Amino acid sequence: LNRQDLAANCPADDDSLLNAPYSLNLQVRSKERQDHHEVDFRIKNSSVSASNNTAAEGTRERNDGMSGIDKDSTRLRFSQDLRLKEARKTLSSSHARPVQLPKGMDLSHPETNNVQQTKLFEMAMKTMALPVGRGAFSLSTLTPLPTEPFRIPDLILSGTLPHQNNAQITLDTNNLVTQNMLDWPEFHNGVAAGLQLAKGQAQLTRTWIVYNKSVEPSNSHAGFLMALGLQGHLGCLSITDIYRYLSQEDDMTTIGVLLGVSAASTGSMDTTISKMLFLHIPARHPAHY
């Protein structure tokens, strides 16, 4: 975790080795005179692969839904360790995680696939719960650009097999308890993404919200709309815009829009919003309605 106090207790002949960004190969060649030496520094091939891994990790971090946490203030506040980076890595759901099988297990055994699916299902249950923690971790940390589309991070339930050269393994949907088991995790994933946007940002106009509207109704975008309402950003939508969302006749989108608009209109005494909610909430209907 880059703890300097722990690093000081590590036995090492040279403290600079603790912070060396790459390894060096030192070769000393004797010439005709014994007091003449040629020092040849050669960067190993591992440094090249390390740079590629760093670039891939940077791309993955930009798409994990927590890019707003990387600020000068947080780097200054937690400059002595990597606790934020570890928390961010733990809460990320945009990459496949390794599936660890029991030690000594025969890979050619007929039950290997069942064991892999069982392990993957357990990991998938944990991944489905990550958006809740990610929403709290990245709350009001992002200022979006009005000219760029807003990206909701993926909720990846697949895994990799380290003992098979990191081969990809997908979760068998037949193992799910119900077919709509992913509806609410995807909804919460969209809520966590939308909660990144801080309140009172002038960039979040009606044009920006309509511009980021999904082509087809999705659970994640429905959660995103609810998060916009919780942050007070849906107040700029007209009643026509709300009707276009409700006319899609998608249950999750309807839930997200109604809850979001209700939260954004708290204390406004808007009769138009009240009438709209009256039509969509059966509990408010009279007995003869």
Side-chain angles (χ1 to χ4, degrees), residues 17-36:
L17 294 179
L18 296 175
N19 299 321
Y22 49 79
S23 57
L24 300 177
N25 186 13
L26 179 63
Q27 296 181 353
V28 181
R29 298 176 181 177
S30 298
K31 298 284 183 159
E32 296 179 357
R33 297 177 57 183
Q34 295 181 357
D35 59 344
H36 182 270

Side-chain angles (χ1 to χ4, degrees), residues 84-96:
L84 282 182
K85 186 174 183 179
E86 291 298 321
R88 182 176 179 178
K89 182 179 179 181
T90 302
L91 294 173
S92 176
S93 62
S94 58
H95 65 280

Side-chain angles (χ1 to χ4, degrees), residues 161-236:
L161 301 175
H163 54 280
Q164 296 183 5
N165 296 327
N166 291 327
Q168 290 283 341
I169 177 175
T170 58
L171 181 65
D172 189 2
T173 56
N174 296 327
N175 293 336
L176 299 180
V177 179
T178 58
Q179 293 298 326
N180 57 351
M181 187 176 178
L182 296 178
D183 290 352
W184 286 111
E186 292 176 350
F187 184 88
H188 296 153
N189 188 40
V191 175
L195 290 179
Q196 297 179 84
L197 309 177
K199 295 182 178 180
Q201 295 186 6
Q203 293 89 343
L204 300 187
T205 61
R206 171 190 174 276
T207 303
W208 187 88
I209 297 176
V210 175
Y211 172 71
N212 284 277
K213 181 181 178 182
S214 60
V215 179
E216 296 292 336
S218 64
N219 299 328
S220 59
H221 187 73
F224 174 68
L225 292 174
M226 176 181 168
L228 291 180
L230 293 176
Q231 296 290 65
H233 299 309
L234 288 187
C236 61

Side-chain angles (χ1 to χ4, degrees), residues 1-3 78-89:
L1 295 178
N2 197 21
R3 290 281 299 276
F78 304 100
S79 59
Q80 300 299 322
D81 54 56
L82 302 176
R83 68 183 71 181
L84 282 182
K85 186 174 183 179
E86 291 298 321
R88 182 176 179 178
K89 182 179 179 181

